[in-house]
Amino acid sequence: MQHAVGAPLPPHGPGSGHVGRPYQAQHPGPPPISPPPPGPGQTQPAPPSAPGQVPPPPAPGQAPSAPGHAQPSPAPGQAPGPAWSGTGPTPPTREAVGHTGHVQLPPGGPVPLPAPPAEPGTGGATLAVLLIGPAGAGKTTVAKLWAARRRVPTAHVSLDDVREWVRSGFADPQAGWNDHSEAQYRLARRTCGFAARNFLANGISCILDDAVFPDRPVVGLGGWKRHVGPGLLPVVLLPGLEVVLERNAARSGNRRLSDEEVARIHGRMAGWYGSGLPIIDNSTYDVETTARVLDDVLARSIASPPAW
């Protein structure tokens, strides 16, 4: 059918096709179902834009949507997030801000001397401790118990454990002390000091243990003070030789030394007498008693720090 120029076109409404034929004639099957009217508190969704049609302007304070991407709606009871300007990083959503687990930790620094506690023992003081002693003195066992029994957060770091983090190429000191074993010792000590600084910077005390020799202050005690800070409190655990030999015999693996080596180390440790450092002879103490004595000794060290 043709129409004269200027003549009105046939009606184009529901039930009519492009040239006036009924809708059912062009599209067999049931007619499309209109969406239900919005319920209370709901708004009618905007119809999709036809090709070439400009979308309506955004509301004040709302960023325009990219073509083909709808603006996400906030969850029920949640305020809409900030609009994105289109430049810079995309702002995190409300869920990302509240549930990423990101915590800003203060950096570690040299550990200062702790303030004297206002109660018996070390109380709630945050402090760094270095427990010194020969193999078999009970350093690690006592340090673990003392740290676990405190009522404030306290960590324990053993230098021997850190040294054994090296699985391939581990320089076993039983094979001889050389440049390789000394380099790994220094690296482990520096790692322990870094850990202690960070623990204390975040309100967690730390007790370290190591077999530090008094005749090598630069490698031993001086290095610990340099890596931890002037507030490090050293205490020597030195039972009798018979006790040390008995405890060493119960060990296994590379932690067990020969009796000759144990006797030699114990003899060198005797040089701590007269050094000014507090010394605990735990020959007749069990682990719990030694931990209590250690706490009393540390309380006196806080009140009157040893000169070292």
Side-chain angles (χ1 to χ4, degrees):
M1 176 185 296
Q2 296 184 354
H3 302 276
V5 177
L9 295 174
H12 182 71
S16 300
H18 295 286
V19 291
R21 293 190 297 166
Y23 181 89
Q24 290 78 3
Q26 299 186 55
H27 304 279
I33 301 176
S34 301
Q42 298 180 345
T43 57
Q44 179 72 31
S49 300
Q53 181 178 349
V54 179
Q62 181 180 355
S65 301
H69 296 276
Q71 187 76 12
S73 302
Q78 176 183 341
W84 183 51
S85 62
T87 59
T90 305
T93 63
R94 186 183 184 91
E95 291 81 8
V97 171
H99 302 284
T100 59
H102 177 73
V103 179
Q104 192 71 26
L105 296 177
V111 175
L113 286 169
E119 50 194 301
T122 57
T126 303
L127 62 162
V129 180
L130 175 61
L131 195 56
I132 302 169
K139 303 183 299 296
T140 301
T141 306
V142 171
K144 284 182 177 179
L145 183 64
W146 179 81
R149 294 292 176 86
R150 299 195 77 213
R151 60 179 182 82
V152 293
T154 305
H156 166 243
V157 181
S158 173
L159 180 127
D160 285 343
D161 291 342
V162 175
R163 290 186 70 182
E164 292 178 358
W165 288 355
V166 180
R167 308 307 299 172
S168 176
F170 171 64
D172 192 342
Q174 293 193 49
W177 188 261
N178 49 41
D179 291 344
H180 192 198
S181 55
E182 181 169 331
Q184 289 192 8
Y185 169 81
R186 290 176 178 268
L187 177 60
R189 185 185 58 193
R190 185 171 65 184
T191 303
C192 292
F194 179 80
R197 286 189 178 198
N198 280 276
F199 276 130
L200 268 80
N202 290 274
I204 301 175
S205 296
C206 184
I207 180 169
L208 310 126
D209 69 75
D210 181 24
V212 182
F213 294 106
D215 53 356
R216 299 196 68 184
V218 176
V219 176
L221 201 55
W224 278 111
K225 187 175 183 178
R226 182 172 64 253
H227 290 304
V228 178
L232 180 65
L233 301 175
V235 178
V236 180
L237 203 61
L238 190 57
L241 177 59
E242 296 78 11
V243 176
V244 170
L245 287 171
E246 181 181 353
R247 293 174 179 171
N248 177 71
R251 293 182 168 187
S252 60
N254 64 349
R255 296 291 180 96
R256 181 174 180 175
L257 308 177
S258 66
D259 289 351
E260 294 76 12
E261 183 69 12
V262 172
R264 187 182 66 84
I265 293 175
H266 188 273
R268 292 177 65 183
M269 288 290 174
W272 286 117
Y273 285 103
S275 65
L277 297 186
I279 299 176
I280 301 174
D281 181 355
N282 59 327
S283 299
T284 59
Y285 298 158
D286 59 10
V287 178
E288 184 137 2
T289 303
T290 307
R292 287 200 304 268
V293 173
L294 172 62
D295 199 72
D296 294 338
V297 169
L298 289 171
R300 292 194 295 269
S301 295
I302 295 174
S304 180
W308 59 286

